[in-house]
Amino acid sequence: MRKLLAKIYSSNDFGRSGCKDDQCNCACPTGEYVVQVDERILHDAFHSSDVYQHDLSPSAKLLFNQSIGKEVVVVNKDAYEFWQNFKAPTLLNTLDASGYETARRMIDLALLEPVSECYHPHTPTPDSLSVWLHITNSCNLLCTYCYVNKSNDHMDLETGKSAIDAAFRSALKGGFKKVNLKFAGGEPTLRLDTVFQLYAYGQEVSKREEIEIESVILSNGTTLSQENMDEIQARGMRLMLSIDGIGLMHDAQRPFLGGQGTYEKVWRALEWAINSGLRPFISITVTDESVMGLPELTTRLLPLDLPFNLNFARPVMPGKMPDNQKMIAGLKETFECIEANLPGYSLLGSLLDRSLFSSAHERPCGVGEAYMVVDQRGEVASCQMTLKQSVTNIHVDDPLLMLKVHEGFKNPSVDQKEGCSQCQWKYVCAGGCPQAAYQTTGRYDVASPFCEVYKAMYPELLRLEGLRILKYSGEELTL
């Protein structure tokens, strides 16, 4: 018998990036599946899982379990043949030492599963409560896709403190271990002193209630100075900057109220943030108009080693559908540019909107479970896109509970969405943003208007990640 020369590499072997730390401008997924291996199931027979496969080269195969979404895996011929042998259920105690070690690695990566049970996603109780604080309804920009009806209303300090108290009350009652404050608007840096004071107050409450606190400022970057960046860093806060393109491409979507471009100011703010030791998260909103500028923007961002995410602009008019073919063409060109200069970190969580490849999930976001939005008056809504449709306020005992039992905004499981239940990618996108589906169809329980884009680009994204793993494995996967 020839010696087994299995080589197995995964995304986590070479670092991850993307929207893992809830720095984004949306409610990130709350549930994920964790493969737990204990001694009891190791006595069971195992068989090969039903996974997505792609040939990267004559000697390397990509494997990905869409039902778990744990990691993208690249294997050589020996490892693939070994995995194929498990089509016939096999007991681990029948393997030699090398085979046993290889099998355990494949179990950890959800490539093998016990015969007596199948891996499937579940939604554990989330441990982090995200709270969008709408610091001001005012903004100095006129973004083409903005859904906020601007005014000069601001959140005063008393309302902000009451909002934080309400958030921690809900966190305590819900058993959350962390509260993540998202200072937003409008443009929250127009009221930066209020932001700093509220975060300081939140830290006091965090210490008193023994619940961890994190914060992020969601900013357009145009009002920030080097001194502001230094203070954000000194206070231990995080920063998200919105950049939609290079030069005129950005300016076309994110002009000042008077029509002047903002790109130069935003990029300067980015440089100031880096100078201060911040690692700002870059939010890129993709529209039919800006998608062809993505190759240039991502090419410029990658050497900076900054986390970023492509967010598809949500349709805001009933019946208005995105030009999916144009989106697909622009994304393919972007992927080609990235392939020419693959980074040392993963872009799985960055390049396709709310898609999540690091863990399978049943819902695309935390709405109705671990997310609440507080407007400048102290009214509480389910989502920032439904800010005017308040459900309760910060003075009730448990605002989050009121959102959970509310019959309005719905965030159904992907298994309950028409057109999703039989899709092989359903636990990657979870059906997409329910609000986007509602805006275009009047229903929450249908697939995202970007479904066509997702399906076209998932194989491309997995291939890109597989090539990245090959590049940084440091060796050819040949025998």
Side-chain angles (χ1 to χ4, degrees), residues 84-372:
Q84 286 280 81
N85 288 335
F86 275 81
K87 286 185 175 181
T90 304
L91 291 168
L92 299 189
N93 61 13
T94 64
L95 304 173
D96 61 18
S98 175
Y100 181 83
E101 182 181 347
T102 300
R104 283 300 307 266
R105 171 81 163 137
M106 289 185 170
I107 292 169
D108 290 339
L109 293 171
L111 300 181
L112 297 176
E113 60 188 39
V115 172
S116 61
E117 61 178 292
C118 294
Y119 294 142
H120 57 85
H122 73 298
T123 305
T125 302
D127 61 4
S128 178
L129 171 61
S130 291
V131 183
W132 174 290
L133 294 177
H134 197 75
I135 297 299
T136 177
N137 211 44
S138 179
C139 187
N140 59 335
L141 268 58
L142 191 62
C143 299
T144 57
Y145 46 76
C146 186
Y147 48 81
V148 177
N149 293 321
K150 309 296 193 312
S151 71
N152 290 322
D153 294 340
H154 310 296
M155 180 181 286
D156 60 43
L157 201 57
E158 181 180 352
T159 300
K161 288 182 177 180
S162 295
I164 291 172
D165 288 336
F168 276 90
R169 287 199 306 273
S170 286
L172 281 169
K173 292 179 181 295
F176 293 95
K177 299 177 181 179
K178 180 171 67 176
V179 170
N180 183 22
L181 300 178
K182 298 189 176 190
F183 294 100
E187 176 49 43
T189 62
L190 295 174
R191 311 283 290 183
L192 195 55
D193 286 344
T194 300
V195 170
F196 287 153
Q197 291 179 72
L198 289 178
Y199 182 56
Y201 178 75
Q203 289 177 303
E204 295 174 9
V205 180
S206 167
K207 185 176 181 179
R208 182 176 70 241
E209 303 296 351
E210 298 183 337
I211 293 178
E212 185 182 351
I213 189 173
E214 288 187 352
S215 71
V216 59
I217 301 172
L218 311 183
S219 175
N220 62 41
T222 60
T223 71
L224 292 168
S225 66
Q226 180 68 72
E227 291 73 20
N228 295 151
M229 299 296 186
D230 293 340
E231 187 164 6
I232 292 171
Q233 167 70 352
R235 289 175 177 269
M237 304 180 76
R238 297 174 298 172
L239 177 67
M240 187 219 77
L241 293 174
S242 294
I243 304 175
D244 288 358
I246 300 298
L248 294 177
M249 187 65 74
H250 172 92
D251 291 343
Q253 291 192 169
R254 302 184 63 82
F256 282 116
L257 290 175
Q260 306 94 328
T262 60
Y263 171 75
E264 294 297 335
K265 286 184 176 293
V266 178
W267 199 267
R268 184 169 57 191
L270 172 63
E271 293 172 339
W272 283 336
I274 294 172
N275 290 341
S276 295
L278 289 167
R279 191 170 181 250
F281 184 92
I282 308 302
S283 177
I284 305 168
T285 300
V286 184
T287 66
D288 295 349
E289 290 74 26
S290 70
V291 67
M292 299 311 294
L294 285 180
E296 184 180 12
L297 177 57
T298 53
T299 298
R300 189 163 179 183
L301 284 174
L302 287 173
L304 299 178
D305 193 28
L306 297 176
F308 67 90
N309 200 85
L310 304 185
N311 306 292
F312 298 167
R314 303 299 180 230
V316 295
M317 297 297 290
K320 183 181 185 302
M321 296 295 288
D323 186 341
N324 284 340
Q325 290 306 310
K326 194 172 180 180
M327 296 278 283
I328 291 169
L331 288 167
K332 284 186 175 180
E333 186 176 335
T334 302
F335 285 18
E336 289 173 4
C337 289
I338 296 171
E339 183 177 341
N341 189 22
L342 291 165
Y345 53 92
S346 175
L347 295 174
L348 278 174
S350 302
L351 297 181
L352 283 176
D353 199 46
R354 296 294 90 199
S355 304
L356 186 67
F357 285 82
S358 59
S359 59
H361 55 296
E362 296 175 294
R363 291 176 173 80
C365 68
V367 167
E369 296 180 313
Y371 191 67
M372 54 190 286

Side-chain angles (χ1 to χ4, degrees), residues 22-38:
D22 208 13
Q23 300 179 69
C24 66
N25 60 349
C26 199
C28 297
T30 57
E32 63 180 61
Y33 190 90
V34 179
V35 177
Q36 296 178 329
V37 180
D38 58 38

Side-chain angles (χ1 to χ4, degrees), residues 2-8 57-60 75-82 475-479:
R2 68 182 176 88
K3 183 179 179 181
L4 180 65
L5 296 174
K7 295 185 183 297
I8 305 171
S57 75
S59 60
V75 298
N76 71 342
K77 285 183 177 179
D78 262 21
Y80 184 71
E81 290 173 3
F82 178 84
E475 54 185 303
E476 294 292 330
L477 294 190
T478 55
L479 298 181

